[in-house]
Amino acid sequence: MRENIIEKSSELFLKLGFKSITMDDIAQEMGISKKTIYIHFNNKTTLVEECTMFIFHKIVDNINCIRDLQKNPIEELYEIKKIVMLHLHDEKGSTEFQLQKYYPKIFIALRKKQFQIMEDCIVDNIKKGVGEGIYRENINVDFIGRIYFSGVTTLKDHDIFPEEQFPIKVLMDDFLEYHLRGIVTPKGRKILNALINSNHE
């Protein structure tokens, strides 16, 4: 039951926001009593924390599956972007904002975990790309990794990128291409152009 509550609550939080959904909403959606939820979770904050980590680990597991396929580094980043887009598909724009505003401690803990995973993933991707001759040798790996993370997290700031002007799919595509064009070699550029052209067909 505990796992079912986390799964259903996560789905509702992503669709309607952490602040918007109440314990009553979850109980009604699941056809159980609110008391049943409180048997497993002391309060809503505990449930939000569990759901946030559940969503995070689900995305990380999917990313690791892609990394295990050993694709070339450029293709790998495009596959990871697809996973992130699938996750964002059901997410309401204000979800992350609500987490930051109403559950700041959970938001900070999540951001730290995101940074650790992203840094590991991007740094590994860059080193692999340099080794394969598709990324330039003279790049500062740690700098690029941090700039990439900073850029990705900023994309969801609707003050900087209003949704009506910058649809998230186009934004993600443009950002990834911007990142890659700054670090690819001529060999890498051919792979990148082929991927972009195939995605546009």
Side-chain angles (χ1 to χ4, degrees):
M1 177 56 74
R2 191 174 191 279
E3 288 74 20
N4 291 342
I5 293 170
I6 291 173
E7 200 162 336
K8 176 52 72 175
S9 301
S10 297
E11 184 185 314
L12 293 171
F13 286 143
L14 282 177
K15 284 185 178 177
L16 299 168
F18 290 100
K19 176 67 174 174
S20 311
I21 291 293
T22 65
M23 298 296 245
D24 284 315
D25 293 329
I26 296 165
Q28 187 176 352
E29 184 72 22
M30 294 188 69
I32 59 176
S33 69
K34 195 161 65 168
K35 186 178 177 182
T36 303
I37 299 175
Y38 282 114
I39 289 171
H40 300 279
F41 304 95
N42 294 333
N43 49 49
K44 186 182 171 185
T45 301
T46 306
L47 179 57
V48 167
E49 185 172 18
E50 291 276 355
C51 289
T52 301
M53 290 303 113
F54 170 78
I55 296 163
F56 170 74
H57 287 298
K58 194 174 178 182
I59 296 169
V60 170
D61 287 345
N62 286 331
I63 289 173
N64 285 336
C65 286
I66 290 169
R67 293 174 71 187
D68 289 342
L69 295 175
Q70 296 296 308
K71 291 175 177 282
N72 79 64
I74 294 173
E75 205 175 351
E76 180 180 87
L77 286 184
Y78 271 90
E79 289 299 315
I80 289 172
K81 186 207 71 177
K82 283 181 189 175
I83 289 294
V84 173
M85 285 308 303
L86 281 173
H87 162 66
L88 290 177
H89 178 71
D90 290 328
E91 183 177 345
K92 190 181 175 187
S94 63
T95 303
E96 194 165 304
F97 171 76
Q98 286 190 11
L99 187 66
Q100 186 174 10
K101 184 176 180 180
Y102 299 106
Y103 303 95
K105 287 182 180 177
I106 298 173
F107 177 81
I108 290 167
L110 174 65
R111 188 49 58 88
K112 283 180 181 175
K113 285 181 175 291
Q114 286 173 334
F115 176 73
Q116 288 164 358
I117 292 296
M118 181 68 76
E119 187 180 41
D120 174 57
C121 180
I122 294 300
V123 166
D124 180 65
N125 181 274
I126 295 170
K127 286 179 178 176
K128 200 163 68 168
V130 171
E132 293 180 19
I134 60 177
Y135 296 160
R136 292 185 288 110
E137 286 184 1
N138 63 336
I139 54 180
N140 184 326
V141 176
D142 290 327
F143 171 75
I144 295 295
R146 287 164 190 261
I147 282 291
Y148 185 83
F149 178 77
S150 176
V152 166
T153 52
T154 305
L155 294 183
K156 292 178 75 179
D157 187 331
H158 292 170
D159 289 330
I160 298 174
F161 297 107
E163 219 171 355
E164 61 278 3
Q165 190 180 347
F166 299 96
I168 189 65
K169 185 185 183 305
V170 177
L171 200 54
M172 292 281 285
D173 284 340
D174 288 348
F175 177 74
L176 185 52
E177 183 180 347
Y178 171 82
H179 163 72
L180 286 167
R181 289 206 183 279
I183 63 173
V184 290
T185 60
K187 178 184 174 183
R189 194 176 301 116
K190 287 180 183 177
I191 297 169
L192 176 60
N193 288 339
L195 262 174
I196 290 170
N197 290 335
S198 68
N199 287 339
H200 286 166
E201 287 173 0

